Amino acid sequence: MSYYPHDPKPESFDAVKAFNVRLNDSSNTAAKLLRTYIDGYERFWQTPRTHGERALSMEDVQAMLDVDPVIMMDLMNDGTAFVEFVQESHPDAVGTDYFPTRYLTIPYVMDQAGRLVSLKPEWEAQEVQ
């Protein structure tokens, strides 16, 4: 019973709760985007570090790139654009477990003609400790 007659009012909007929910959702989405990029990168290049005995040889990767160099370059340029976006919009994520620096460039050294020369050391098979 209330001295002043009134209809109960609904709880008011909780701005802090809404903020926290959206921040958490956005953070999870960003982490998933980075993980999706990394997973795709690893499947594309299939290096000894990520695939062990199932890794593609450098010759096999070059042969894959040679099938249609224009399309392959387009795919690599898309990857570069995504990396640039991450570097510009979230530089603090680069070099962390979310986005290790080895994913900033392709895993191979290329010559002036765009041919693979060697696998970068960070993509060699890693010893399990």
Side-chain angles (χ1 to χ4, degrees):
M1 179 186 269
S2 172
Y3 179 79
Y4 297 101
H6 71 282
D7 293 328
K9 304 295 182 215
E11 291 185 29
S12 62
F13 178 73
D14 186 337
V16 172
K17 181 178 178 182
F19 169 85
N20 287 332
V21 166
R22 280 152 182 85
L23 183 62
N24 188 49
D25 288 350
S26 296
S27 181
N28 289 337
T29 299
K32 285 178 191 175
L33 285 170
L34 293 177
R35 187 72 246 163
T36 298
Y37 175 80
I38 289 170
D39 289 347
Y41 181 105
E42 291 177 355
R43 280 191 312 274
F44 184 89
W45 294 107
Q46 206 168 329
T47 68
R49 180 182 184 129
T50 61
H51 286 75
E53 303 252 334
R54 297 174 296 126
L56 296 175
S57 69
M58 184 175 70
E59 293 76 17
D60 288 342
V61 173
Q62 185 64 63
M64 175 186 70
L65 298 175
D66 290 343
V67 169
D68 193 326
V70 173
I71 290 176
M72 288 294 133
M73 187 56 67
D74 192 35
L75 290 173
M76 288 188 279
N77 287 340
D78 287 346
T80 299
F82 181 79
V83 167
E84 288 172 354
F85 166 75
V86 172
Q87 288 177 305
E88 291 172 14
S89 63
H90 301 286
D92 53 329
V94 177
T96 68
D97 287 342
Y98 284 115
F99 203 76
T101 55
R102 67 181 172 274
Y103 294 97
L104 296 177
T105 60
I106 70 167
Y108 291 92
V109 174
M110 293 180 104
D111 66 15
Q112 295 286 17
R115 309 291 297 168
L116 303 181
V117 175
S118 62
L119 184 65
K120 294 176 182 174
E122 61 267 30
W123 291 104
E124 296 288 348
Q126 304 292 302
E127 291 184 32
V128 179
Q129 297 180 12

